[in-house]
Amino acid sequence: MALLEVRDLHTAFTTPAGTVNAVNGVSFNLERGKVLGIVGESGSGKSVTAYSIMQILEKNGKIVSGSVKIDGQELVGAGEKVMKTVRGNKISIIFQDPMTSLNPTYTVGHQLTEAILLHTNRNKKQAYDRAVEMLRLVNINEPHKRMKQYPYEFSGGMRQRIMIAMALACEPDILIADEPTTALDVTIQAQILELMKSLQEELGMAIIMITHDLGVVAQMCDEVIVMYAGSICEQGTADEIFYNPRHEYTKGLMHSIPTVNNDDEKLEPISGTPIDLLNMPKGCPFAPRCDAAMKICLRERCQRMEINEDHAAACWMNVKEQMEQEEGGEEA
Amino acid sequence: MSNMENLVEVKNLKEYFNITTGMFQSKPLKAVDDVSFAIRKGETLGLVGESGCGKTTVGRTILHLYKPTAGEIWFKGKKIETKADIMEYRKKSAMVFQDPYSSLNPRMTVSDIIGEPLDIHKMYADKAERQEKILELMNRVGLNSEHASRYAHEFSGGQRQRIGIARALATSPEFVVCDEPVSALDVSIQAQVINMFDELQDQMDLTYLFIAHDLLVVRHISDRIAVMYLGKMVELADAKEIYDHPLHPYSKSLMSAVPVPDPKIARANQRVVLTGDIPSPLNAPSGCPFRTRCPYACDACAEAMPELKEVSPGHFVACHRVAEIN
């Protein structure tokens, strides 16, 4: 049994302009000790997927249907009481912006021990010791002194370390990292990613890494999910996604980023602009921007299709290819 | 005396900001401290560094948006000094800003935003010519002429950046400073805008100073790259050379920190992870500013800032120990 099982998750937001279906039928499994990357552009539903798992959606957002199971325990519809025992203990989250996710009016020590007291049975003294231990774990020097300081006395990279320390203090099975390094400089980003990787190996937890940066994915992730307009267009192991992309959107993404090998070539951008979630087309959501779009792409959405045991994609091109192969096989 | 091949030259540029530190006290923040470089005609010079290193300040000071504290700026072999010089220089230079959401006036129509530089420099005879010029610019950056009477909020991020670029090109400048022009855009849109910068450079014979923190983007678009750290320029070389063979210890760690979108390369990459954070520019270390994080720092580094020296043709490095550590 997988640690986390998400099945056919639908999340919608009610807005004055209409209902926005931010997540449309997302399914995946996360095994213990693995790093799963979720990539996509703004509005692709990658963060909403994570917030739905944690059930920390804004007031106007709601899980419409689907199932989220952790260790076999169903979370959708389980109620706030159950979720309080899950958050922090089983799943923790770190957010993009380390500048605003700490409370500026409390010391870092207060905020760390508060989280530990809330989620474990430790007393104040034990919680303090645990907090100091966690600061040490994320390589913050002089932890006893640092416990008494306020967030403004820390740099951006250090604040993100504190967020990581807080998220890991109760030894969760899953850490969700929502664009954890986007607000940081490259050398600090390298420090934080290195730290997350080593902690993940040490503590054996699973990580869901949400990012738009394919470089971060290549460095960190075992498995990758590519999202577009609220649905998964492709999922598989990192090597499969990078070296054998089988969805036109993933291919487009790979061609549109500068790498070390293509600097003399022109980039091949994806034409058009990201989709308006209020006016979703009937067929494949990527079809209006897709150069290879066929008639069927505009009419009907392609179902997920297994490419091999490590790889699945939802693109009619694969169906077409398969049919051509079969025809070719019959003739021969 | 100046080399005519260089379109823009910066000599010993300093830009200090006074920061209030107490009721009657203030302290200079040395955002740019003694930087000299030249940009050749028709090239793209990439300027990289982390937040607070002074790269944006260089971009703004070079256009005289900030009055330089000290130092000289030369354009086409002429020193920019008087007000008239600056006005003339501004006609020949332009800037594209980072944030396409806040750099466009929400109360102006697209045609007025693009037409404003034309108004300021009185570059048209009558209204019809103005309109014609605006439509030509919109066409050039891939905007539909029907959009001329709309407002900025009606456009997506990528289209807004196109409006910003059209505005920058209105006076047919020769020199454009691009300050993080693609970092606010989604990946698929980034490539569209980067390609457009390339095409416009060919069509209009432009020279760019391209400021960005995304090293792969900078490497893709630039001919040469300069690296800054805490207000100083530490290395300057050809784009590929500096990426493949960085010589300064800071550039080394910066280049190795770039997340490469290729799992096999990323796994094999031996990173030089720096410890610690960037010191505050208000309390910059003496001598070489990088010495507090540098694995090779010695006593000499604390005493004097090393000069930017040419160690191989076209490759400039500011490090006392560059010969020993490479």
Side-chain angles (χ1 to χ4, degrees):
Chain A
M1 186 174 58
L3 176 59
L4 178 73
E5 274 179 50
V6 178
R7 284 290 166 276
D8 203 25
L9 185 69
H10 287 260
T11 302
F13 290 87
T14 325
T15 69
T19 305
V20 175
N21 295 312
V23 174
N24 293 314
V26 165
S27 306
F28 64 87
N29 284 354
L30 177 66
E31 305 288 339
R32 228 166 257 283
K34 290 277 183 203
V35 183
L36 170 75
I38 304 184
V39 263
E41 296 178 87
S42 27
S44 62
K46 51 193 194 308
S47 294
V48 177
T49 304
Y51 296 174
S52 303
I53 295 170
M54 294 280 283
Q55 296 189 23
I56 47 169
L57 295 160
E58 297 280 330
K59 279 209 179 78
N60 62 346
K62 199 168 171 271
I63 298 176
V64 181
S65 63
S67 137
V68 177
K69 280 187 189 159
I70 180 159
D71 274 335
Q73 184 192 5
E74 177 64 52
L75 297 184
V76 175
E80 195 53 25
K81 223 174 180 177
V82 178
M83 281 316 293
K84 273 194 173 149
T85 63
V86 170
R87 288 187 210 121
N89 282 325
K90 289 194 167 157
I91 320 177
S92 276
I93 188 163
I94 48 177
F95 297 97
Q96 170 171 1
D97 191 355
M99 303 299 164
T100 53
S101 25
L102 286 166
N103 188 333
T105 61
Y106 288 104
T107 61
V108 160
H110 179 100
Q111 296 183 55
L112 271 169
T113 42
E114 184 188 23
I116 296 166
L117 285 170
L118 198 65
H119 292 297
T120 61
N121 296 324
R122 292 183 170 90
N123 64 28
K124 268 192 173 167
K125 173 77 183 59
Q126 287 166 327
Y128 178 88
D129 291 341
R130 175 73 183 158
V132 170
E133 188 192 326
M134 289 313 295
L135 286 182
R136 256 197 210 110
L137 189 70
V138 296
N139 303 330
I140 286 182
N141 292 330
E142 301 180 82
H144 287 286
K145 189 180 137 203
R146 288 300 197 172
M147 288 284 281
K148 295 192 200 83
Q149 291 184 327
Y150 288 88
Y152 77 90
E153 296 172 86
F154 293 81
S155 68
M158 285 174 102
R159 279 184 229 188
Q160 198 58 295
R161 283 164 200 272
I162 292 165
M163 290 310 296
I164 294 175
M166 203 183 279
L168 300 186
C170 307
E171 294 170 15
D173 297 322
I174 303 169
L175 174 68
I176 300 178
D178 185 8
E179 306 258 9
T181 57
T182 309
L184 306 174
D185 281 313
V186 251
T187 59
I188 309 296
Q189 166 171 292
Q191 285 177 8
I192 297 289
L193 293 180
E194 204 94 330
L195 174 73
M196 287 180 66
K197 192 95 198 172
S198 70
L199 289 177
Q200 186 255 333
E201 279 160 16
E202 207 172 300
L203 308 174
M205 63 191 167
I207 297 181
I208 299 179
M209 189 92 188
I210 297 168
T211 179
H212 66 271
D213 188 334
L214 288 166
V216 172
V217 174
Q219 191 186 329
M220 296 286 291
C221 301
D222 306 306
E223 277 158 48
V224 183
I225 287 176
V226 183
M227 284 187 75
Y228 189 80
S231 10
I232 294 179
C233 37
E234 187 162 9
Q235 69 190 102
T237 59
D239 284 18
E240 280 285 323
I241 298 288
F242 277 89
Y243 302 125
N244 182 25
R246 295 296 288 271
H247 191 286
E248 291 303 311
Y249 175 63
T250 320
K251 289 181 199 168
L253 272 188
M254 298 292 169
H255 288 142
S256 61
I257 45 168
T259 65
V260 224
N261 311 316
N262 69 352
D263 30 26
D264 297 325
E265 298 159 32
K266 256 193 139 175
L267 300 177
E268 294 168 31
I270 301 174
S271 55
T273 48
I275 199 167
D276 176 6
L277 289 170
L278 281 166
N279 296 308
M280 289 267 265
K282 208 167 120 209
C284 168
F286 185 60
R289 299 176 74 187
C290 181
D291 292 334
M294 300 174 287
K295 273 183 198 150
I296 191 165
C297 303
L298 299 169
R299 258 201 333 267
E300 209 179 314
R301 203 176 258 243
C302 183
Q303 293 304 309
R304 180 190 138 100
M305 197 180 108
E306 300 265 333
I307 310 290
N308 58 40
E309 57 181 25
D310 293 331
H311 196 166
C315 182
W316 286 113
M317 291 301 281
N318 297 318
V319 180
K320 187 182 160 200
E321 236 168 70
Q322 200 185 30
M323 278 163 65
E324 279 168 2
Q325 266 173 16
E326 276 167 18
E327 274 170 28
E330 275 163 30
E331 276 165 32
Chain B
M1 277 295 289
S2 176
N3 189 346
M4 271 310 284
E5 200 191 298
N6 293 332
L7 186 73
V8 181
E9 256 181 276
V10 174
K11 294 177 183 169
N12 304 98
L13 187 71
K14 287 180 186 170
E15 182 64 53
Y16 297 172
F17 298 107
N18 267 323
I19 302 292
T20 314
T21 50
M23 199 180 274
F24 301 109
Q25 292 164 330
S26 69
K27 209 173 169 183
L29 186 151
K30 300 179 177 178
V32 176
D33 199 11
D34 208 356
V35 164
S36 306
F37 62 94
I39 306 172
R40 296 177 197 144
K41 194 162 172 40
E43 81 165 343
T44 302
L45 177 70
L47 190 57
V48 297
E50 295 178 273
S51 34
C53 73
K55 53 189 194 300
T56 294
T57 310
V58 166
R60 295 191 165 196
T61 315
I62 211 173
L63 293 181
H64 267 274
L65 292 179
Y66 296 141
K67 194 174 178 293
T69 308
E72 297 169 359
I73 293 157
W74 293 63
F75 183 69
K76 288 177 134 181
K78 190 174 178 301
K79 193 172 158 190
I80 308 297
E81 276 172 311
T82 63
K83 248 191 162 160
D85 289 344
I86 293 175
M87 204 58 188
E88 190 55 34
Y89 173 46
R90 290 226 174 115
K91 211 162 148 182
K92 295 278 164 217
S93 58
M95 186 151 187
V96 177
F97 297 92
Q98 169 172 9
D99 185 358
Y101 293 87
S102 62
S103 59
L104 302 175
N105 188 335
R107 290 160 186 252
M108 283 165 80
T109 61
V110 169
S111 73
D112 283 337
I113 290 172
I114 300 174
E116 199 177 17
L118 298 171
D119 300 341
I120 291 167
H121 294 285
K122 302 188 179 60
M123 295 181 74
Y124 51 86
D126 50 33
K127 266 198 168 160
E129 194 190 336
R130 179 177 185 264
Q131 197 59 21
E132 191 188 318
K133 278 194 172 177
I134 290 168
L135 292 182
E136 193 210 311
L137 283 161
M138 290 183 66
N139 195 10
R140 217 177 246 282
V141 297
L143 287 170
N144 203 321
S145 56
E146 292 156 24
H147 295 157
S149 55
R150 293 202 196 164
Y151 291 89
H153 71 88
E154 298 173 61
F155 294 89
S156 67
Q159 283 174 313
R160 282 180 208 215
Q161 203 53 298
R162 286 170 196 265
I163 299 170
I165 294 167
R167 171 176 63 186
L169 299 178
T171 58
S172 333
E174 293 173 45
F175 175 49
V176 181
V177 175
C178 315
D179 187 6
E180 305 259 14
V182 295
S183 47
L185 306 177
D186 267 320
V187 195
S188 69
I189 307 298
Q190 257 189 22
Q192 295 176 4
V193 176
I194 292 170
N195 278 354
M196 195 170 67
F197 273 113
D198 263 342
E199 284 156 20
L200 291 169
Q201 182 164 42
D202 291 344
Q203 290 166 11
M204 302 179 70
D205 200 15
L206 297 170
T207 304
Y208 292 137
L209 175 65
F210 198 95
I211 303 166
H213 67 270
D214 186 331
L215 286 151
L216 288 172
V217 168
V218 174
R219 179 188 139 106
H220 182 83
I221 202 163
S222 308
D223 300 302
R224 292 190 301 153
I225 293 178
V227 181
M228 284 187 73
Y229 187 79
L230 270 188
K232 311 257 193 203
M233 191 167 282
V234 296
E235 190 160 359
L236 171 67
D238 277 350
K240 271 180 205 146
E241 167 79 7
I242 204 165
Y243 190 88
D244 296 337
H245 307 287
L247 296 177
H248 193 281
Y250 176 63
S251 319
K252 278 178 197 277
S253 69
L254 194 63
M255 301 303 161
S256 80
V258 178
V260 182
D262 187 325
K264 281 181 188 150
I265 298 177
R267 278 177 217 134
N269 188 1
Q270 287 295 321
R271 315 168 171 274
V272 189
V273 176
L274 290 176
T275 51
D277 290 300
I278 310 172
S280 154
L282 271 176
N283 296 308
S286 65
C288 173
F290 186 58
R291 70 179 169 86
T292 50
R293 295 169 84 194
C294 180
Y296 309 104
C298 62
D299 293 345
C301 304
E303 275 156 30
M305 172 65 197
E307 268 179 58
L308 197 64
K309 275 186 295 218
E310 190 164 12
V311 289
S312 62
H315 198 146
F316 297 84
V317 184
C319 178
H320 287 301
R321 303 187 63 190
V322 62
E324 295 163 59
I325 62 179
N326 285 295

